[in-house]
Amino acid sequence: MNLELVPQLKHTKSNNFFLLCGPCAIEGEEMAMRIAEKVVSITDKLNIPYVFKGSFKKANRSRVDSFTGIGDEKALKILRKVSETFKVPTITDIHEISDAHMAAEYVDILQIPAFLVRQTDLVVAAAETGKVINLKKGQFMSPESMKHAVQKVLDSNNEQVMVTDRGTMFGYQDMIVDFRGIPTMKQYAPVVLDVTHSLQQPNQSSGVTGGRPDMIETIARAGIVTGADGIFMETHFDPANAKSDGANMLHLDHLEKLLTNLVAIRKTVNSL
């Protein structure tokens, strides 16, 4: 995948990792703009190619009373405003075939959630929009099996595809990252490491997913060392009150120090 083909993607020749980052879900315009402004200022300073991430709706919820969104069109318009205001591309996930065309009108990259990545009709519908496609590796899938998901996109006449590792189930209520999967999946497409979702602790009795945000830097550092092309993480200025996935988010105040450290590691890796 040629990242330079993603509209407005900055710093593609910096030999740095790229970053997919933002809130789990679009909760409103003010919060999205606030987070985007902060992340853009940091990534500009560190010469990191940046894509703003935000879900326009959350279909995969533990409970029926969990937050799912502020309205599809309203959230998608906010994503468009972020892109137009800060001149950065955006990414959002889709859950149904009908979402593909709708979301493609507003964002640059369509993401297929991990639980849905084997759904052929959904993957093909996304690929046929001509947008860049980010395939999340299923928590239940081997790295080697992702070559088939990638091939579905290629067979749909779309070469703009990347794969994201978001951890593997370890028992019923924990996740681990098998870092051997990064070089394996790089044989098929550029690989992103989803740091924050890899630290989820799902299937809690409360119906609310837990997490280990204290391990974010550890996992991110290891991802850079093992050759991840990009880093994915969710951030919020108030994770404790975020409407989705707050338990495993990075506080926005900690983002600059983390990214500074990751850039230094990347420079060292590039020099070897």
Side-chain angles (χ1 to χ4, degrees):
M1 183 184 73
N2 180 4
L3 288 170
E4 293 184 34
L5 296 181
V6 181
Q8 306 164 330
L9 186 56
K10 298 180 179 181
H11 316 309
T12 51
K13 296 182 179 179
S14 66
N15 204 27
N16 211 344
F17 60 90
F18 58 93
L19 178 69
L20 312 180
C21 184
C24 178
I26 300 298
E27 301 170 11
E29 182 176 316
E30 188 278 332
M31 66 84 69
M33 299 296 282
R34 177 177 172 183
I35 293 170
E37 182 177 26
K38 180 67 173 179
V39 182
V40 167
S41 69
I42 295 169
T43 53
D44 278 353
K45 182 189 305 183
L46 297 175
N47 203 30
I48 299 172
Y50 174 51
V51 179
F52 179 84
K53 180 269 168 189
S55 296
F56 75 95
K57 69 177 176 182
K58 303 300 296 182
N60 176 26
R61 303 286 82 195
S62 297
R63 303 188 323 218
V64 73
D65 61 345
S66 298
F67 175 80
T68 58
I70 60 174
D72 295 355
E73 187 174 8
K74 183 177 181 180
L76 287 167
K77 285 182 176 179
I78 291 171
L79 284 163
R80 175 186 282 168
K81 184 171 182 178
V82 167
S83 181
E84 292 174 347
T85 302
F86 299 105
K87 303 299 186 289
V88 295
T90 54
I91 179 172
T92 199
D93 42 336
I94 62 172
H95 305 87
E96 301 176 26
I97 294 170
S98 59
D99 290 343
H101 178 73
M102 175 177 64
E105 296 294 317
Y106 295 90
V107 302
D108 302 286
I109 304 175
L110 297 179
Q111 179 169 286
I112 306 298
F115 281 129
L116 300 176
V117 76
R118 285 178 54 89
Q119 298 296 107
T120 299
D121 289 349
L122 180 63
V123 172
V124 169
E128 288 180 345
T129 67
K131 295 291 183 176
V132 177
I133 306 302
N134 183 29
L135 301 170
K136 287 274 193 97
K137 184 183 81 66
Q139 302 92 321
F140 47 87
M141 294 174 66
S142 70
E144 291 80 4
S145 66
M146 285 303 293
K147 65 183 176 183
H148 303 298
V150 170
Q151 192 61 48
K152 290 176 184 178
V153 178
L154 300 178
D155 288 345
S156 302
N157 297 313
N158 187 340
E159 297 183 354
Q160 301 301 297
V161 58
M162 55 186 169
V163 175
T164 293
D165 192 330
R166 52 95 71 235
T168 301
M169 289 301 301
F170 186 64
Y172 290 119
Q173 295 180 318
D174 209 354
M175 311 280 296
I176 58 170
V177 177
D178 181 356
F179 288 98
R180 297 174 298 177
I182 292 178
T184 296
M185 292 188 293
K186 285 182 71 170
Q187 298 174 70
Y188 320 132
V191 174
V192 178
L193 176 61
D194 180 345
V195 177
T196 49
H197 284 111
S198 295
L199 292 167
Q200 284 184 328
Q201 294 180 316
N203 303 321
Q204 301 298 311
S205 58
S206 65
V208 178
T209 298
R212 289 290 307 275
D214 57 301
M215 296 293 292
I216 287 174
E217 182 152 357
T218 299
I219 298 299
R221 284 173 176 243
I224 296 297
V225 170
T226 49
D229 299 292
I231 293 292
F232 177 116
M233 64 178 72
E234 292 181 340
T235 187
H236 199 287
F237 48 80
D238 187 11
N241 290 300
K243 295 184 182 297
S244 178
D245 281 359
N248 52 274
M249 278 187 185
L250 178 72
H251 197 291
L252 190 59
D253 288 348
H254 303 322
L255 182 63
E256 183 168 0
K257 181 177 184 297
L258 171 60
L259 292 178
T260 300
N261 291 341
L262 296 183
V263 168
I265 293 170
R266 179 61 176 250
K267 287 181 179 178
T268 300
V269 170
N270 287 343
S271 70
L272 297 177

